Amino acid sequence: MAISHLHCLQSVRVAFPCRPSVSNNYYYGRENFTRKGSSLVYASTNNLNRDLHLQSKVETVLDSVKWDDRGLAVAIAQNVDTGAILMQGFANREAVATTVSSRKATFYSRSRSMLWTKGETSNNFINVHDIFLDCDRDSIIYLGKPDGPTCHTGSETCYYTPVFDLLENQKDKEDKLALTTLYSLESTIAQRKGELEVPQSGKPSWTRRLLLDEKLLCSKIREEADELCQTLEGNEDKSRAASEMADVLYHAMVLLALKDVKMEEVLDILRRRFSQSGIEEKRSRNSQA
Amino acid sequence: MAISHLHCLQSVRVAFPCRPSVSNNYYYGRENFTRKGSSLVYASTNNLNRDLHLQSKVETVLDSVKWDDRGLAVAIAQNVDTGAILMQGFANREAVATTVSSRKATFYSRSRSMLWTKGETSNNFINVHDIFLDCDRDSIIYLGKPDGPTCHTGSETCYYTPVFDLLENQKDKEDKLALTTLYSLESTIAQRKGELEVPQSGKPSWTRRLLLDEKLLCSKIREEADELCQTLEGNEDKSRAASEMADVLYHAMVLLALKDVKMEEVLDILRRRFSQSGIEEKRSRNSQA
């Protein structure tokens, strides 16, 4: 199947791949080609050849996917920072080619028999950073960053119906997102924060005490960081290091809750720094200055 | 459809649900029932009633799933600690019921037209902690902990074929796992650690310098933890807190690399502590002692 929607014949431009570092070459191809200078025509001819080569490569990758008898493969959108599975749909060749080209997670709607890009009505696009195929090449991950809630219900992800809670009749927990450990912990801390105004009898939980006593919290963060360092300095067992890191992470996350900072924001920062070789570059520069 | 495999008519035992906290009631039901004491018969009758009630609830949940025309729904296995998508298969009613019962991720093989439990030949089971349905109830997450590599190739997950790298002809990167930010950072640090023996020209990266200088690394961890605390103590902007947390996390992860500790181990500790109300309980006990 030709991926005809990718062609822009008037400008002889093919809009993939769109990795940020190289995409400008393609996006600005049209302007170059409409000017008259011979060097620009030459540049555009080079671009054209490169584009055709890339298109051929996309076709080759798409040929390697094991499409089912309806021409579909499962496509799962995952948050690149949190790992949350945002939604799952199906993709055909055109949907994957469009995702490669536009960097917006695109699926094939089986009910409407047409392509649809998540966010085309809600504006909550999923900006795809990478695409992975599985070992059988019949399942695809769109690894990306959502602009907003993914689910049409307004929920962050589509997976908020926990089966075991349903079986235990915990209907109040029906809207519980499928959270992995780090975010489950974050959610527990946020819950404790939300309960601070509620008077409690009995011993307060440790999280509640930390949330209510900034001095205690900060002394614990410094203490746990120190203990983590001691596992290296004192050549302690690796299990001690893991345990101290757990302490550092937990106490630091209580502080983040007080500052209204989500772990997702922290990971977003780390991704940007590392994708730009940022931390390494900055630190190296600073320390060598 | 009756979930007949769940029945164990000889012992009148129905083996779900199997949440660790309650499962023994069901697993030991058989022994109780075969003894003769009237109190034990009474206890087993109670168990029987409860089991039948639970079976009816499982049926109700399964009825709510929108099975496709082949009686299947997409089932995605995700690592509860790291968020990694381990594999994707399909499940029918029986596969989900078996997963509920056994707590081992179970699928329906379309090629072999039979149930299969991941790990039944490799022993690398995926131990399911929770199951989530999506908003349309036609997609399922098995959130669990794998006993070992999930992929039949020996890879940690089945998703190790990055499309953009294929398009850029980076064949050496063909076996690149689909990693989210935290694990991508961990992988980068591990790579730097692996290169320590290789002589380098030019400025060393910041990570390399930290890996080679434990004193520098520990002073940075203490410094960054202190700066994180200052964002709370000094009522600094929340963006400062996020940035300082990123620094804490990154530097602490360099230490973990030196100690050969994976973030997954740290998260495993946190999950166990919190699922047992561990940290809160322990800390509360210690500080009030």
Side-chain angles (χ1 to χ4, degrees), chain A residues 57 81 88 131 139 159 163 169 181 192 203 209 222 226 236 238 247 259-260 273 287-288, chain B residues 57 81 88 139 159 163 169 181 203 209 222 226 236 238 247 259-260 273 280 287-288:
Chain A
K57 280 178 154 297
D81 286 331
Q88 176 261 311
I131 300 174
S139 184
Y159 298 88
V163 167
N169 253 352
T181 299
R192 297 282 183 279
K203 285 184 186 178
R209 287 191 57 200
R222 291 186 174 99
D226 185 64
E236 294 178 25
K238 63 175 276 190
D247 285 336
K259 298 293 290 181
D260 282 324
R273 283 186 190 168
S287 58
Q288 289 182 352
Chain B
K57 279 176 156 300
D81 286 332
Q88 175 261 311
S139 184
Y159 298 89
V163 168
N169 252 353
T181 299
K203 285 184 185 178
R209 288 192 55 200
R222 291 185 174 100
D226 185 64
E236 293 177 26
K238 64 176 275 189
D247 285 335
K259 298 291 291 180
D260 281 324
R273 284 187 189 168
E280 300 211 73
S287 59
Q288 287 181 356

mmCIF file of all heavy atoms in Angstrom, chain A residues 57 81 88 131 139 159 163 169 181 192 203 209 222 226 236 238 247 259-260 273 287-288, chain B residues 57 81 88 139 159 163 169 181 203 209 222 226 236 238 247 259-260 273 280 287-288:
data_model
loop_
_atom_site.group_PDB
_atom_site.id
_atom_site.type_symbol
_atom_site.label_atom_id
_atom_site.label_comp_id
_atom_site.label_asym_id
_atom_site.label_seq_id
_atom_site.Cartn_x
_atom_site.Cartn_y
_atom_site.Cartn_z
ATOM 1 N N LYS A 57 12.276 3.029 3.328
ATOM 2 C CA LYS A 57 12.599 2.372 4.596
ATOM 3 C C LYS A 57 11.348 2.190 5.462
ATOM 4 O O LYS A 57 11.176 1.163 6.115
ATOM 5 C CB LYS A 57 13.620 3.199 5.375
ATOM 6 C CG LYS A 57 15.030 3.005 4.888
ATOM 7 C CD LYS A 57 15.960 3.896 5.683
ATOM 8 C CE LYS A 57 17.352 3.329 5.697
ATOM 9 N NZ LYS A 57 17.441 2.032 6.352
ATOM 10 N N ASP A 81 7.245 9.206 30.369
ATOM 11 C CA ASP A 81 7.815 9.577 31.670
ATOM 12 C C ASP A 81 7.339 8.680 32.807
ATOM 13 O O ASP A 81 8.132 8.252 33.636
ATOM 14 C CB ASP A 81 7.501 11.040 31.992
ATOM 15 C CG ASP A 81 8.342 11.995 31.152
ATOM 16 O OD1 ASP A 81 9.472 11.616 30.778
ATOM 17 O OD2 ASP A 81 7.876 13.105 30.864
ATOM 18 N N GLN A 88 -5.325 1.810 24.513
ATOM 19 C CA GLN A 88 -4.947 0.799 23.523
ATOM 20 C C GLN A 88 -5.937 0.848 22.395
ATOM 21 O O GLN A 88 -7.148 0.953 22.610
ATOM 22 C CB GLN A 88 -4.921 -0.587 24.175
ATOM 23 C CG GLN A 88 -4.639 -1.735 23.207
ATOM 24 C CD GLN A 88 -5.917 -2.437 22.771
ATOM 25 O OE1 GLN A 88 -6.750 -2.789 23.592
ATOM 26 N NE2 GLN A 88 -6.087 -2.631 21.462
ATOM 27 N N ILE A 131 8.681 4.562 18.777
ATOM 28 C CA ILE A 131 7.730 3.497 18.453
ATOM 29 C C ILE A 131 8.487 2.170 18.555
ATOM 30 O O ILE A 131 9.615 2.069 18.047
ATOM 31 C CB ILE A 131 7.170 3.667 17.021
ATOM 32 C CG1 ILE A 131 6.445 5.019 16.886
ATOM 33 C CG2 ILE A 131 6.238 2.516 16.665
ATOM 34 C CD1 ILE A 131 5.994 5.326 15.460
ATOM 35 N N SER A 139 2.536 -6.276 17.522
ATOM 36 C CA SER A 139 2.094 -5.408 18.611
ATOM 37 C C SER A 139 3.042 -4.216 18.673
ATOM 38 O O SER A 139 4.254 -4.371 18.496
ATOM 39 C CB SER A 139 2.109 -6.200 19.924
ATOM 40 O OG SER A 139 1.592 -5.428 20.978
ATOM 41 N N TYR A 159 -7.563 3.191 31.845
ATOM 42 C CA TYR A 159 -7.584 2.024 32.738
ATOM 43 C C TYR A 159 -7.811 2.456 34.181
ATOM 44 O O TYR A 159 -6.864 2.818 34.870
ATOM 45 C CB TYR A 159 -6.289 1.228 32.603
ATOM 46 C CG TYR A 159 -6.087 0.682 31.210
ATOM 47 C CD1 TYR A 159 -5.444 1.443 30.231
ATOM 48 C CD2 TYR A 159 -6.569 -0.579 30.870
ATOM 49 C CE1 TYR A 159 -5.288 0.951 28.943
ATOM 50 C CE2 TYR A 159 -6.412 -1.075 29.581
ATOM 51 C CZ TYR A 159 -5.773 -0.300 28.624
ATOM 52 O OH TYR A 159 -5.615 -0.782 27.350
ATOM 53 N N VAL A 163 -10.329 -4.842 38.729
ATOM 54 C CA VAL A 163 -11.163 -6.040 38.822
ATOM 55 C C VAL A 163 -11.255 -6.563 40.258
ATOM 56 O O VAL A 163 -12.341 -6.894 40.743
ATOM 57 C CB VAL A 163 -10.621 -7.136 37.866
ATOM 58 C CG1 VAL A 163 -11.258 -8.489 38.156
ATOM 59 C CG2 VAL A 163 -10.883 -6.734 36.416
ATOM 60 N N ASN A 169 -16.316 -5.781 46.112
ATOM 61 C CA ASN A 169 -17.426 -4.861 46.346
ATOM 62 C C ASN A 169 -17.001 -3.468 46.758
ATOM 63 O O ASN A 169 -17.756 -2.746 47.394
ATOM 64 C CB ASN A 169 -18.352 -5.411 47.432
ATOM 65 C CG ASN A 169 -19.639 -5.905 46.826
ATOM 66 O OD1 ASN A 169 -19.890 -5.701 45.633
ATOM 67 N ND2 ASN A 169 -20.468 -6.528 47.637
ATOM 68 N N THR A 181 4.178 1.173 41.049
ATOM 69 C CA THR A 181 4.584 1.402 42.439
ATOM 70 C C THR A 181 4.864 2.865 42.785
ATOM 71 O O THR A 181 4.352 3.389 43.780
ATOM 72 C CB THR A 181 5.825 0.536 42.755
ATOM 73 O OG1 THR A 181 5.448 -0.839 42.573
ATOM 74 C CG2 THR A 181 6.296 0.752 44.175
ATOM 75 N N ARG A 192 -2.875 11.231 51.993
ATOM 76 C CA ARG A 192 -2.573 11.663 53.370
ATOM 77 C C ARG A 192 -2.588 13.189 53.474
ATOM 78 O O ARG A 192 -3.058 13.757 54.444
ATOM 79 C CB ARG A 192 -1.199 11.157 53.810
ATOM 80 C CG ARG A 192 -1.038 9.675 53.890
ATOM 81 C CD ARG A 192 -1.656 9.079 55.145
ATOM 82 N NE ARG A 192 -1.393 7.654 55.198
ATOM 83 C CZ ARG A 192 -2.101 6.736 54.524
ATOM 84 N NH1 ARG A 192 -3.121 7.098 53.789
ATOM 85 N NH2 ARG A 192 -1.789 5.460 54.605
ATOM 86 N N LYS A 203 -2.670 7.091 66.809
ATOM 87 C CA LYS A 203 -1.360 7.518 66.337
ATOM 88 C C LYS A 203 -1.445 8.016 64.905
ATOM 89 O O LYS A 203 -2.005 7.342 64.044
ATOM 90 C CB LYS A 203 -0.380 6.336 66.353
ATOM 91 C CG LYS A 203 0.132 5.939 67.717
ATOM 92 C CD LYS A 203 1.175 4.822 67.562
ATOM 93 C CE LYS A 203 1.598 4.294 68.921
ATOM 94 N NZ LYS A 203 2.559 3.184 68.788
ATOM 95 N N ARG A 209 2.762 12.749 59.918
ATOM 96 C CA ARG A 209 3.669 13.499 60.798
ATOM 97 C C ARG A 209 4.665 14.307 59.977
ATOM 98 O O ARG A 209 4.949 15.469 60.291
ATOM 99 C CB ARG A 209 4.426 12.535 61.719
ATOM 100 C CG ARG A 209 3.536 11.956 62.815
ATOM 101 C CD ARG A 209 4.367 11.235 63.857
ATOM 102 N NE ARG A 209 5.382 12.103 64.451
ATOM 103 C CZ ARG A 209 6.465 11.666 65.076
ATOM 104 N NH1 ARG A 209 6.692 10.368 65.170
ATOM 105 N NH2 ARG A 209 7.335 12.514 65.595
ATOM 106 N N ARG A 222 17.743 14.821 54.795
ATOM 107 C CA ARG A 222 19.211 14.941 54.886
ATOM 108 C C ARG A 222 19.814 13.678 55.497
ATOM 109 O O ARG A 222 20.857 13.188 55.052
ATOM 110 C CB ARG A 222 19.573 16.175 55.722
ATOM 111 C CG ARG A 222 19.235 17.503 55.022
ATOM 112 C CD ARG A 222 19.731 18.704 55.823
ATOM 113 N NE ARG A 222 19.537 19.958 55.100
ATOM 114 C CZ ARG A 222 18.522 20.808 55.299
ATOM 115 N NH1 ARG A 222 17.593 20.532 56.214
ATOM 116 N NH2 ARG A 222 18.435 21.914 54.597
ATOM 117 N N ASP A 226 22.347 11.017 53.646
ATOM 118 C CA ASP A 226 23.629 10.724 54.293
ATOM 119 C C ASP A 226 23.806 9.207 54.444
ATOM 120 O O ASP A 226 24.883 8.671 54.169
ATOM 121 C CB ASP A 226 23.661 11.414 55.662
ATOM 122 C CG ASP A 226 25.014 11.248 56.333
ATOM 123 O OD1 ASP A 226 26.003 11.755 55.781
ATOM 124 O OD2 ASP A 226 25.065 10.598 57.394
ATOM 125 N N GLU A 236 29.022 -0.929 52.367
ATOM 126 C CA GLU A 236 27.969 -1.760 52.955
ATOM 127 C C GLU A 236 27.320 -2.644 51.886
ATOM 128 O O GLU A 236 27.518 -2.440 50.690
ATOM 129 C CB GLU A 236 26.908 -0.864 53.616
ATOM 130 C CG GLU A 236 27.441 -0.101 54.835
ATOM 131 C CD GLU A 236 26.401 0.833 55.451
ATOM 132 O OE1 GLU A 236 25.195 0.580 55.274
ATOM 133 O OE2 GLU A 236 26.793 1.823 56.090
ATOM 134 N N LYS A 238 24.806 -4.308 49.262
ATOM 135 C CA LYS A 238 23.978 -3.620 48.269
ATOM 136 C C LYS A 238 22.508 -3.537 48.695
ATOM 137 O O LYS A 238 21.806 -2.612 48.317
ATOM 138 C CB LYS A 238 24.120 -4.245 46.880
ATOM 139 C CG LYS A 238 23.660 -5.677 46.745
ATOM 140 C CD LYS A 238 23.743 -6.149 45.295
ATOM 141 C CE LYS A 238 22.497 -5.720 44.527
ATOM 142 N NZ LYS A 238 22.396 -6.338 43.193
ATOM 143 N N ASP A 247 14.228 4.884 51.199
ATOM 144 C CA ASP A 247 13.957 5.911 52.212
ATOM 145 C C ASP A 247 14.104 7.321 51.632
ATOM 146 O O ASP A 247 13.279 8.199 51.880
ATOM 147 C CB ASP A 247 14.920 5.747 53.401
ATOM 148 C CG ASP A 247 14.538 4.573 54.292
ATOM 149 O OD1 ASP A 247 13.350 4.189 54.288
ATOM 150 O OD2 ASP A 247 15.424 4.050 54.992
ATOM 151 N N LYS A 259 5.118 20.579 48.065
ATOM 152 C CA LYS A 259 5.397 21.614 47.061
ATOM 153 C C LYS A 259 4.492 21.475 45.828
ATOM 154 O O LYS A 259 4.680 22.197 44.838
ATOM 155 C CB LYS A 259 6.862 21.524 46.600
ATOM 156 C CG LYS A 259 7.905 21.755 47.675
ATOM 157 C CD LYS A 259 7.936 23.172 48.205
ATOM 158 C CE LYS A 259 8.476 24.171 47.198
ATOM 159 N NZ LYS A 259 8.523 25.554 47.764
ATOM 160 N N ASP A 260 3.542 20.541 45.877
ATOM 161 C CA ASP A 260 2.648 20.306 44.730
ATOM 162 C C ASP A 260 3.392 19.961 43.448
ATOM 163 O O ASP A 260 3.047 20.443 42.356
ATOM 164 C CB ASP A 260 1.743 21.523 44.475
ATOM 165 C CG ASP A 260 0.585 21.576 45.447
ATOM 166 O OD1 ASP A 260 0.069 20.507 45.815
ATOM 167 O OD2 ASP A 260 0.219 22.689 45.863
ATOM 168 N N ARG A 273 16.807 16.965 30.092
ATOM 169 C CA ARG A 273 18.238 17.154 30.332
ATOM 170 C C ARG A 273 19.053 16.105 29.612
ATOM 171 O O ARG A 273 20.037 16.405 28.967
ATOM 172 C CB ARG A 273 18.537 17.050 31.829
ATOM 173 C CG ARG A 273 18.158 18.282 32.603
ATOM 174 C CD ARG A 273 18.635 18.140 34.027
ATOM 175 N NE ARG A 273 18.095 19.192 34.863
ATOM 176 C CZ ARG A 273 18.165 19.180 36.182
ATOM 177 N NH1 ARG A 273 18.738 18.159 36.804
ATOM 178 N NH2 ARG A 273 17.665 20.169 36.881
ATOM 179 N N SER A 287 31.634 22.380 36.660
ATOM 180 C CA SER A 287 32.681 21.917 37.563
ATOM 181 C C SER A 287 34.065 22.143 36.973
ATOM 182 O O SER A 287 35.054 22.115 37.682
ATOM 183 C CB SER A 287 32.478 20.439 37.891
ATOM 184 O OG SER A 287 32.479 19.707 36.692
ATOM 185 N N GLN A 288 34.087 22.353 35.681
ATOM 186 C CA GLN A 288 35.398 22.579 35.076
ATOM 187 C C GLN A 288 35.687 24.052 34.871
ATOM 188 O O GLN A 288 36.764 24.416 34.414
ATOM 189 C CB GLN A 288 35.477 21.843 33.739
ATOM 190 C CG GLN A 288 35.551 20.336 33.965
ATOM 191 C CD GLN A 288 35.673 19.567 32.695
ATOM 192 O OE1 GLN A 288 35.560 20.136 31.626
ATOM 193 N NE2 GLN A 288 35.907 18.280 32.810
ATOM 194 N N LYS B 57 -19.770 -13.222 41.264
ATOM 195 C CA LYS B 57 -19.233 -11.877 41.015
ATOM 196 C C LYS B 57 -18.235 -11.882 39.855
ATOM 197 O O LYS B 57 -18.223 -10.956 39.038
ATOM 198 C CB LYS B 57 -18.522 -11.359 42.264
ATOM 199 C CG LYS B 57 -19.467 -10.797 43.302
ATOM 200 C CD LYS B 57 -18.700 -10.411 44.529
ATOM 201 C CE LYS B 57 -19.419 -9.369 45.320
ATOM 202 N NZ LYS B 57 -19.641 -8.134 44.581
ATOM 203 N N ASP B 81 6.286 -2.667 39.120
ATOM 204 C CA ASP B 81 7.299 -1.781 39.694
ATOM 205 C C ASP B 81 7.882 -0.799 38.691
ATOM 206 O O ASP B 81 8.038 0.379 38.991
ATOM 207 C CB ASP B 81 8.422 -2.606 40.339
ATOM 208 C CG ASP B 81 7.974 -3.234 41.656
ATOM 209 O OD1 ASP B 81 7.094 -2.653 42.316
ATOM 210 O OD2 ASP B 81 8.490 -4.308 42.012
ATOM 211 N N GLN B 88 2.084 -8.525 25.138
ATOM 212 C CA GLN B 88 0.658 -8.335 24.878
ATOM 213 C C GLN B 88 0.136 -9.581 24.213
ATOM 214 O O GLN B 88 0.773 -10.137 23.318
ATOM 215 C CB GLN B 88 0.434 -7.103 23.992
ATOM 216 C CG GLN B 88 -1.009 -6.884 23.573
ATOM 217 C CD GLN B 88 -1.286 -7.400 22.167
ATOM 218 O OE1 GLN B 88 -0.544 -7.093 21.244
ATOM 219 N NE2 GLN B 88 -2.340 -8.180 22.004
ATOM 220 N N SER B 139 -10.280 -3.986 26.811
ATOM 221 C CA SER B 139 -8.825 -4.062 26.921
ATOM 222 C C SER B 139 -8.472 -4.223 28.395
ATOM 223 O O SER B 139 -9.101 -3.613 29.263
ATOM 224 C CB SER B 139 -8.222 -2.780 26.345
ATOM 225 O OG SER B 139 -6.819 -2.835 26.339
ATOM 226 N N TYR B 159 9.322 -5.973 23.711
ATOM 227 C CA TYR B 159 9.415 -4.751 22.897
ATOM 228 C C TYR B 159 10.849 -4.242 22.888
ATOM 229 O O TYR B 159 11.260 -3.513 23.796
ATOM 230 C CB TYR B 159 8.456 -3.690 23.424
ATOM 231 C CG TYR B 159 7.012 -4.120 23.345
ATOM 232 C CD1 TYR B 159 6.421 -4.818 24.399
ATOM 233 C CD2 TYR B 159 6.251 -3.861 22.212
ATOM 234 C CE1 TYR B 159 5.107 -5.243 24.320
ATOM 235 C CE2 TYR B 159 4.932 -4.281 22.124
ATOM 236 C CZ TYR B 159 4.363 -4.968 23.181
ATOM 237 O OH TYR B 159 3.064 -5.385 23.098
ATOM 238 N N VAL B 163 11.445 1.555 16.086
ATOM 239 C CA VAL B 163 11.180 1.878 14.680
ATOM 240 C C VAL B 163 12.061 3.024 14.171
ATOM 241 O O VAL B 163 12.627 2.947 13.079
ATOM 242 C CB VAL B 163 9.683 2.206 14.485
ATOM 243 C CG1 VAL B 163 9.427 2.832 13.116
ATOM 244 C CG2 VAL B 163 8.848 0.938 14.654
ATOM 245 N N ASN B 169 18.780 3.489 10.261
ATOM 246 C CA ASN B 169 19.816 2.503 9.944
ATOM 247 C C ASN B 169 20.730 2.167 11.105
ATOM 248 O O ASN B 169 21.863 1.758 10.909
ATOM 249 C CB ASN B 169 20.696 3.010 8.795
ATOM 250 C CG ASN B 169 20.419 2.238 7.531
ATOM 251 O OD1 ASN B 169 19.670 1.258 7.569
ATOM 252 N ND2 ASN B 169 21.005 2.669 6.436
ATOM 253 N N THR B 181 11.476 7.042 30.974
ATOM 254 C CA THR B 181 12.544 7.985 31.328
ATOM 255 C C THR B 181 13.484 7.483 32.426
ATOM 256 O O THR B 181 14.704 7.513 32.272
ATOM 257 C CB THR B 181 11.911 9.331 31.737
ATOM 258 O OG1 THR B 181 11.192 9.824 30.596
ATOM 259 C CG2 THR B 181 12.967 10.342 32.141
ATOM 260 N N LYS B 203 37.051 15.962 27.405
ATOM 261 C CA LYS B 203 36.466 16.090 28.734
ATOM 262 C C LYS B 203 35.631 14.861 29.082
ATOM 263 O O LYS B 203 34.808 14.446 28.267
ATOM 264 C CB LYS B 203 35.538 17.310 28.781
ATOM 265 C CG LYS B 203 36.237 18.646 28.841
ATOM 266 C CD LYS B 203 35.206 19.755 28.974
ATOM 267 C CE LYS B 203 35.852 21.120 28.920
ATOM 268 N NZ LYS B 203 34.855 22.207 28.996
ATOM 269 N N ARG B 209 32.747 11.228 35.635
ATOM 270 C CA ARG B 209 33.521 11.813 36.743
ATOM 271 C C ARG B 209 32.966 11.348 38.089
ATOM 272 O O ARG B 209 33.720 11.012 38.999
ATOM 273 C CB ARG B 209 33.471 13.347 36.671
ATOM 274 C CG ARG B 209 34.312 13.914 35.526
ATOM 275 C CD ARG B 209 34.482 15.411 35.661
ATOM 276 N NE ARG B 209 35.048 15.790 36.950
ATOM 277 C CZ ARG B 209 34.957 16.992 37.489
ATOM 278 N NH1 ARG B 209 34.315 17.943 36.836
ATOM 279 N NH2 ARG B 209 35.493 17.264 38.666
ATOM 280 N N ARG B 222 24.711 14.675 49.001
ATOM 281 C CA ARG B 222 24.354 15.432 50.214
ATOM 282 C C ARG B 222 23.965 16.868 49.862
ATOM 283 O O ARG B 222 23.017 17.427 50.409
ATOM 284 C CB ARG B 222 25.526 15.412 51.202
ATOM 285 C CG ARG B 222 25.782 14.030 51.821
ATOM 286 C CD ARG B 222 26.880 14.080 52.876
ATOM 287 N NE ARG B 222 27.030 12.801 53.558
ATOM 288 C CZ ARG B 222 27.972 11.892 53.287
ATOM 289 N NH1 ARG B 222 28.871 12.115 52.328
ATOM 290 N NH2 ARG B 222 28.024 10.757 53.972
ATOM 291 N N ASP B 226 20.280 18.597 50.336
ATOM 292 C CA ASP B 226 20.192 19.840 51.100
ATOM 293 C C ASP B 226 19.454 20.918 50.294
ATOM 294 O O ASP B 226 18.580 21.615 50.809
ATOM 295 C CB ASP B 226 21.614 20.297 51.448
ATOM 296 C CG ASP B 226 21.599 21.520 52.345
ATOM 297 O OD1 ASP B 226 21.110 21.403 53.488
ATOM 298 O OD2 ASP B 226 22.050 22.594 51.892
ATOM 299 N N GLU B 236 10.756 28.282 48.254
ATOM 300 C CA GLU B 236 11.129 28.572 46.866
ATOM 301 C C GLU B 236 10.052 28.081 45.903
ATOM 302 O O GLU B 236 9.164 27.316 46.275
ATOM 303 C CB GLU B 236 12.478 27.896 46.540
ATOM 304 C CG GLU B 236 13.649 28.496 47.318
ATOM 305 C CD GLU B 236 14.971 27.762 47.048
ATOM 306 O OE1 GLU B 236 15.112 27.155 45.973
ATOM 307 O OE2 GLU B 236 15.850 27.804 47.933
ATOM 308 N N LYS B 238 7.992 26.107 43.093
ATOM 309 C CA LYS B 238 7.866 24.653 42.938
ATOM 310 C C LYS B 238 8.743 24.096 41.812
ATOM 311 O O LYS B 238 9.171 22.952 41.867
ATOM 312 C CB LYS B 238 6.405 24.220 42.763
ATOM 313 C CG LYS B 238 5.710 24.729 41.519
ATOM 314 C CD LYS B 238 4.306 24.155 41.391
ATOM 315 C CE LYS B 238 4.331 22.789 40.717
ATOM 316 N NZ LYS B 238 3.015 22.272 40.369
ATOM 317 N N ASP B 247 17.927 16.413 40.377
ATOM 318 C CA ASP B 247 19.346 16.286 40.719
ATOM 319 C C ASP B 247 19.584 15.191 41.757
ATOM 320 O O ASP B 247 20.516 14.396 41.634
ATOM 321 C CB ASP B 247 19.874 17.623 41.279
ATOM 322 C CG ASP B 247 20.083 18.658 40.187
ATOM 323 O OD1 ASP B 247 20.283 18.262 39.024
ATOM 324 O OD2 ASP B 247 20.052 19.861 40.499
ATOM 325 N N LYS B 259 26.769 0.518 43.209
ATOM 326 C CA LYS B 259 26.438 -0.566 44.147
ATOM 327 C C LYS B 259 25.720 -1.728 43.443
ATOM 328 O O LYS B 259 25.255 -2.654 44.124
ATOM 329 C CB LYS B 259 25.539 -0.034 45.283
ATOM 330 C CG LYS B 259 26.155 1.056 46.152
ATOM 331 C CD LYS B 259 27.295 0.558 47.032
ATOM 332 C CE LYS B 259 26.837 -0.358 48.135
ATOM 333 N NZ LYS B 259 27.974 -0.821 48.977
ATOM 334 N N ASP B 260 25.583 -1.630 42.127
ATOM 335 C CA ASP B 260 24.880 -2.682 41.362
ATOM 336 C C ASP B 260 23.445 -2.878 41.827
ATOM 337 O O ASP B 260 22.953 -4.023 41.918
ATOM 338 C CB ASP B 260 25.630 -4.021 41.440
ATOM 339 C CG ASP B 260 26.809 -4.058 40.485
ATOM 340 O OD1 ASP B 260 26.687 -3.490 39.386
ATOM 341 O OD2 ASP B 260 27.847 -4.622 40.861
ATOM 342 N N ARG B 273 6.866 -2.418 51.423
ATOM 343 C CA ARG B 273 6.666 -1.624 52.639
ATOM 344 C C ARG B 273 5.270 -1.029 52.683
ATOM 345 O O ARG B 273 4.592 -1.085 53.699
ATOM 346 C CB ARG B 273 7.682 -0.470 52.696
ATOM 347 C CG ARG B 273 9.063 -0.906 53.082
ATOM 348 C CD ARG B 273 9.930 0.307 53.281
ATOM 349 N NE ARG B 273 11.329 -0.072 53.459
ATOM 350 C CZ ARG B 273 12.323 0.786 53.423
ATOM 351 N NH1 ARG B 273 12.090 2.072 53.207
ATOM 352 N NH2 ARG B 273 13.565 0.381 53.603
ATOM 353 N N GLU B 280 5.234 3.380 56.982
ATOM 354 C CA GLU B 280 4.492 4.223 57.912
ATOM 355 C C GLU B 280 4.484 3.611 59.308
ATOM 356 O O GLU B 280 4.704 4.282 60.297
ATOM 357 C CB GLU B 280 3.066 4.391 57.408
ATOM 358 C CG GLU B 280 3.030 5.036 56.050
ATOM 359 C CD GLU B 280 1.785 5.873 55.855
ATOM 360 O OE1 GLU B 280 1.707 6.955 56.470
ATOM 361 O OE2 GLU B 280 0.919 5.437 55.138
ATOM 362 N N SER B 287 9.744 6.285 65.839
ATOM 363 C CA SER B 287 9.834 7.659 66.313
ATOM 364 C C SER B 287 9.016 7.870 67.579
ATOM 365 O O SER B 287 9.206 8.839 68.288
ATOM 366 C CB SER B 287 9.362 8.615 65.227
ATOM 367 O OG SER B 287 8.041 8.302 64.893
ATOM 368 N N GLN B 288 8.102 6.962 67.813
ATOM 369 C CA GLN B 288 7.308 7.126 69.024
ATOM 370 C C GLN B 288 7.847 6.275 70.165
ATOM 371 O O GLN B 288 7.330 6.321 71.269
ATOM 372 C CB GLN B 288 5.855 6.755 68.735
ATOM 373 C CG GLN B 288 5.194 7.838 67.894
ATOM 374 C CD GLN B 288 3.757 7.523 67.617
ATOM 375 O OE1 GLN B 288 3.290 6.457 67.988
ATOM 376 N NE2 GLN B 288 3.067 8.457 66.997
#
